[in-house]
Amino acid sequence: MTIEKNIPLKAFTTFHIGGAAEYFVRVHSIDEVREAIEFAKKENLAITILGGGSNVLIDDAGIRGLVIKIELSGIALEGDTLTVGAGESWDAVVACAVSNDLSGIENLSGIPGTVGGAVVQNIGAYGQALSQTLLWAEVYDTSTLEKQTFSNSDLQSGYRDSIFKRTPNRYVVLRAALGLSRIPKPDVSYKDLAARFSDATPTLEEVRAAVLEIRSAKFPDLDVEGTAGSFFKNPILSLRDAKVLQEMYPELPLFPLPESSGVKIPLGWFLDYRHGVIDMRAVRVGGARMYEKQFLVIVAERNSSSNDVKELARIVQNKIFEVTKIKIEPEVAYM
Ligand code: NAP
């Protein structure tokens, strides 16, 4: 394990933005995680944990302290349980599940980033969320310096949320286990999937192929432009507030959450110029703009600054507030 100094971080993020890490280390095992944390404690350095860099916006000023890049690998299948290292690519895990006829995460195909990031963020797409199959996550606690296992209920997962999201950089996710099913239960209720499979029940392979195709048509080419996917969380309102909003905008779809009494508001609807509420097509801040094929996504041309993206995000937050009085939050983590 080598601890390096002054390492540029932009190439480790999908936004391709950000300055350098004061100290930087790649870790491949729990022993290396422990060693890195001990080094940070000894030198009195702040710790920042980086996975696939797919949901972060790193400041151009860089990150002080030690950036720990999680590269713990391993995918093991036992019965219907997949146990995976936190540094594995999430999509490689989905591919492995689908090729073994295991159902439960096929709708989460094509999401960039690592397993660790997926757990922290409780990733979700097309009606599936990781928390529906996650059995446990093993972590290293940087304050007690001990290994610990969180069960599914310990994780307090919510919409793009978990206990780890609320305690940034305290827990380093090491491994996670997913309980999958041999009985295929395809969920194609989201409109893009429903439109493809209206008259037949698809196989897991077919769902995965469809999700990959739909996503790639709506996502920018990361070799050309940067992005961290959906930039904002869809807000959750009470049924009463959601109905008030729908009276103002009768075409607005509402999605009641099965797990709570809240109602999810599809923010992208307001940002879709075709609905005549907000039109972001002409708005540019430096190299940053809202993506024309996916209205919740910010894209950044190469050489954009972190401030370009933050300023654009502020403009969107203000416009949404003007129209709905809702204070929206970024889904992307600022570092
Ligand atoms: P869409 O089908 O056009 O729907 C727009 C929004 O409405 C989505 O954000 C989705 O919320 C919600 N929605 C649609 N159908 C729903 C249903 N049957 N039940 C509950 N909620 C419903 O969505 P899209 O923008 O093309 O995205 C498709 C999926 O990919 C979504 O699940 C989205 O979250 C996911 N995605 C994720 C990222 C990311 O960076 N994490 C980026 C783009 C898209 P949810 O977002 O809560 O599902």
Side-chain angles (χ1 to χ4, degrees):
M1 185 180 97
T2 317
I3 296 178
E4 299 171 278
K5 279 195 84 171
N6 201 24
I7 297 298
L9 292 171
K10 60 165 77 163
F12 297 116
T13 74
T14 56
F15 248 134
H16 227 266
I17 287 177
E22 188 183 6
Y23 292 88
F24 178 82
V25 66
R26 297 164 188 264
V27 292
H28 305 91
S29 65
I30 167 131
D31 288 337
E32 290 188 350
V33 172
R34 194 175 284 125
E35 213 181 307
I37 306 286
E38 281 167 4
F39 170 81
K41 299 254 174 200
K42 191 166 99 271
E43 303 292 326
N44 209 12
L45 301 171
I47 295 162
T48 301
I49 301 158
L50 191 60
S54 60
N55 201 46
V56 297
L57 177 63
I58 296 180
D59 201 279
D60 294 326
I63 300 182
R64 290 197 69 79
L66 176 64
V67 174
I68 303 178
K69 176 131 181 4
I70 305 301
E71 296 193 346
L72 289 90
S73 61
I75 302 185
L77 176 61
E78 222 185 299
D80 299 347
T81 302
L82 261 186
T83 306
V84 287
E88 284 293 343
S89 136
W90 169 256
D91 194 52
V93 175
V94 180
C96 173
V98 169
S99 67
N100 283 284
D101 295 320
L102 288 167
S103 135
I105 52 175
E106 56 284 353
N107 291 18
L108 305 178
S109 291
I111 298 182
T114 59
V115 168
V119 172
V120 172
Q121 154 92 347
N122 183 27
I123 54 169
Y126 300 103
Q128 278 181 349
L130 178 56
S131 57
Q132 292 161 352
T133 46
L134 189 63
L135 299 174
W136 50 260
E138 181 183 71
V139 303
Y140 185 77
D141 183 342
T142 62
S143 28
T144 62
L145 304 183
E146 278 177 16
K147 217 161 70 167
Q148 199 181 332
T149 301
F150 282 72
S151 68
N152 180 299
S153 62
D154 296 338
L155 289 166
Q156 300 167 22
S157 300
Y159 173 64
R160 310 287 191 272
D161 190 41
S162 75
I163 188 164
F164 303 144
K165 189 116 189 221
R166 284 169 252 142
T167 50
N169 298 315
R170 169 157 178 192
Y171 299 103
V172 180
V173 180
L174 304 170
R175 287 194 302 164
L178 307 175
L180 303 172
S181 170
R182 296 266 166 209
I183 304 159
K185 287 174 253 168
D187 176 353
V188 292
S189 54
Y190 271 49
K191 72 173 184 315
D192 286 347
L193 284 175
R196 282 171 189 241
F197 300 117
S198 55
D199 49 4
T201 305
T203 62
L204 297 181
E205 291 283 359
E206 284 167 343
V207 174
R208 173 167 167 75
V211 170
L212 288 176
E213 203 185 303
I214 295 166
R215 287 188 74 101
S216 69
K218 287 193 184 182
F219 268 68
D221 179 354
L222 287 178
D223 290 332
V224 181
E225 298 186 295
T227 185
S230 297
F231 199 88
F232 302 99
K233 288 198 231 180
N234 285 319
I236 312 291
L237 298 188
S238 68
L239 182 60
R240 203 167 132 249
D241 290 350
K243 288 278 182 212
V244 171
L245 202 56
Q246 207 180 37
E247 270 163 34
M248 292 161 69
Y249 303 100
E251 305 292 314
L252 174 72
L254 300 180
F255 298 106
L257 293 179
E259 67 272 22
S260 77
S261 58
V263 176
K264 186 174 62 183
I265 308 296
L267 201 53
W269 188 89
F270 290 99
L271 295 166
D272 180 343
Y273 66 91
R274 292 168 299 185
H275 299 139
V277 186
I278 297 173
D279 186 346
M280 293 294 293
R281 285 175 296 173
V283 181
R284 292 274 187 289
V285 183
R289 69 178 195 283
M290 300 310 289
Y291 192 47
E292 37 295 308
K293 295 181 195 161
Q294 227 291 3
F295 299 101
L296 262 193
V297 167
I298 292 184
V299 280
E301 289 167 11
R302 290 287 184 265
N303 301 323
S304 300
S305 71
S306 57
N307 278 337
D308 292 345
V309 175
K310 284 184 196 167
E311 182 51 29
L312 179 64
R314 252 193 304 272
I315 292 171
V316 172
Q317 282 168 313
N318 290 342
K319 283 195 187 277
I320 291 286
F321 186 75
E322 259 173 51
V323 169
T324 65
K325 298 289 172 263
I326 302 172
K327 288 187 177 159
I328 58 166
E329 290 171 34
E331 178 186 308
V332 170
Y334 291 2
M335 286 185 170

